[in-house]
Amino acid sequence: MSVAPAIRFEDVSKSFGRIRALDGVSFEVPPGSVFGLLGPNGAGKTTLFSIAASFLRPDRGSISVLGIDVRRIAELQGRFTILPQDAEFQRNVPILEQLAFFRRLEGASAEQAKEDVERTLEAVGLGGYGKRGVYSLSHGMQKRLGIAQAFLGSPEVILLDEPTSGLDPQNARQIRDLVLELRSRATTVISSHNLAEIQELCDHVAILDGGKLVVAGTVEEITRSAKELELELPRALTPEEEAALLGIEGVKGIGGRGVGRYMLTLDSGAARDGTDAIIATILRRLLESGITPRRVYEGQSLEARFLKLTGAGGPEA
């Protein structure tokens, strides 16, 4: 018995004048997944999010969440939430009162709303800030407040648009940790230009380019579809060491990606035991040279795969 998707995008198209923002986009978000939505600038990510949230109507096609067409968004109240990239709050109204008001709109009693807000604020590290105004929070803390609002109550599907945009590395790390901690509670879809972040957080991903779907599937399927080996080493290879690796049967090429970082192109048909045998030989040759790899990844990183699939010079929001 097949499991119904948390979100189904069916032939979604949208134009703004002569600009085709979305062109026949179809894919599904599995229930319980953390799903990444990627694309270069102008790919259609924001438009797709806006249609999913019922802020816009498509020219053609449909989006259903939990089996309900988003054109009937009222039926998803309390089950489906979205955190826009620049979510804003009333600056001088106490945080607890604002979030409790949102819960009351979803049908919770005053007492239940207060309990839910206090529990959620505690979960995002803002337990002592309920009586304060938003003006007292740093930018990173306001991002955490937005996460709290998105996870408030018991939503089954959550859309997060650029949840770490504009944050320093420490605060971005805290937001990623929060999403990882809270993801067991809901299906979560994250739009982000930070590809390393998406690879860390997500188990599924869809890539848009020019309003069209390029690929959708598990992160492992997408990154391992290329026969490559990414190595992160404690130092750069000498020319002799590079030549030794290129001399291994099944290694077709080697390219540098920064100090100590290399991408090896493999030919699995060149070794009797396939790719595993080639990788084992590469690792043995490195260890014989006194080099212990810091990281070994079979396939491409999501960033490398993204750039190859979209032809982009670099990922943008």
Side-chain angles (χ1 to χ4, degrees):
M1 181 179 177
S2 60
V3 179
I7 309 178
R8 176 180 281 125
F9 300 88
E10 294 185 275
D11 194 29
V12 181
S13 298
K14 180 68 178 179
S15 295
F16 299 97
R18 295 182 179 180
I19 299 174
R20 190 81 159 174
L22 294 170
D23 188 1
V25 174
S26 298
F27 65 92
E28 296 180 350
V29 176
S33 64
V34 181
F35 197 103
L37 184 63
L38 298 171
N41 191 36
K45 304 187 304 298
T46 298
T47 302
L48 195 63
F49 259 41
S50 296
I51 295 173
S54 200
F55 299 151
L56 294 174
R57 292 293 177 93
D59 298 331
R60 187 181 72 241
S62 65
I63 300 175
S64 59
V65 176
L66 302 171
I68 299 171
D69 193 305
V70 296
R71 287 174 292 188
R72 308 198 312 272
I73 195 73
E75 296 178 30
L76 290 164
Q77 187 176 34
R79 303 179 68 193
F80 176 41
T81 61
I82 180 170
L83 172 64
Q85 180 176 348
D86 298 311
E88 294 187 359
F89 297 86
Q90 295 293 322
R91 292 186 59 80
N92 295 311
V93 177
I95 292 166
L96 193 151
E97 289 185 20
Q98 292 191 58
L99 296 189
F101 175 73
F102 295 141
R103 281 295 286 135
R104 293 294 302 278
L105 290 176
E106 295 175 351
S109 66
E111 182 179 357
Q112 184 63 55
K114 182 175 182 293
E115 290 178 1
D116 288 348
V117 171
E118 290 176 341
R119 182 174 59 254
T120 305
L121 287 177
E122 194 68 39
V124 301
L126 296 175
Y129 290 83
K131 296 182 180 180
R132 301 191 189 186
V134 175
Y135 67 87
S136 67
L137 303 183
S138 67
H139 182 51
M141 294 168 76
Q142 289 183 41
K143 284 282 188 177
R144 279 190 269 161
L145 180 60
I147 297 288
Q149 180 185 349
F151 281 90
L152 192 61
S154 302
E156 298 169 56
V157 177
I158 298 171
L159 304 186
L160 302 177
D161 190 9
E162 301 284 356
T164 63
S165 175
L167 296 181
D168 59 55
Q170 181 178 358
N171 278 300
R173 173 78 266 170
Q174 291 175 347
I175 295 296
R176 287 195 294 274
D177 288 344
L178 276 175
V179 173
L180 288 171
E181 289 173 14
L182 297 170
R183 66 180 178 178
S184 62
R185 294 170 49 181
T187 300
T188 306
V189 182
I190 302 172
S191 172
S192 175
H193 69 279
N194 187 329
L195 296 169
E197 175 177 274
I198 289 293
Q199 186 158 1
E200 175 185 353
L201 291 174
C202 299
D203 42 57
H204 291 71
V205 69
I207 297 176
L208 301 179
D209 189 25
K212 294 178 179 292
L213 178 70
V214 178
V215 67
T218 68
V219 171
E220 183 176 7
E221 288 170 347
I222 292 170
T223 57
R224 291 184 183 274
S225 60
K227 295 176 181 177
E228 295 184 327
L229 186 72
E230 186 176 350
L231 298 173
E232 183 176 332
L233 308 177
R235 63 171 175 81
L237 295 171
T238 65
E240 294 76 17
E241 289 166 341
E242 282 196 36
L245 292 181
L246 283 170
I248 296 173
E249 186 179 27
V251 177
K252 295 172 61 178
I254 181 170
R257 302 195 63 212
V259 178
R261 296 182 64 198
Y262 298 89
M263 185 68 77
L264 280 64
T265 306
L266 310 180
D267 179 5
S268 59
R272 184 175 57 186
D273 297 324
T275 304
D276 288 346
I278 300 172
I279 295 173
T281 303
I282 292 169
L283 295 178
R284 183 168 62 251
R285 192 66 56 84
L286 289 171
L287 292 172
E288 289 171 351
S289 299
I291 302 173
T292 301
R294 291 175 175 167
R295 181 176 182 271
V296 179
Y297 187 83
E298 183 183 354
Q300 292 181 320
S301 66
L302 188 57
E303 178 181 7
R305 194 70 179 132
F306 174 92
L307 294 175
K308 181 169 288 188
L309 288 169
T310 64
E316 297 182 39

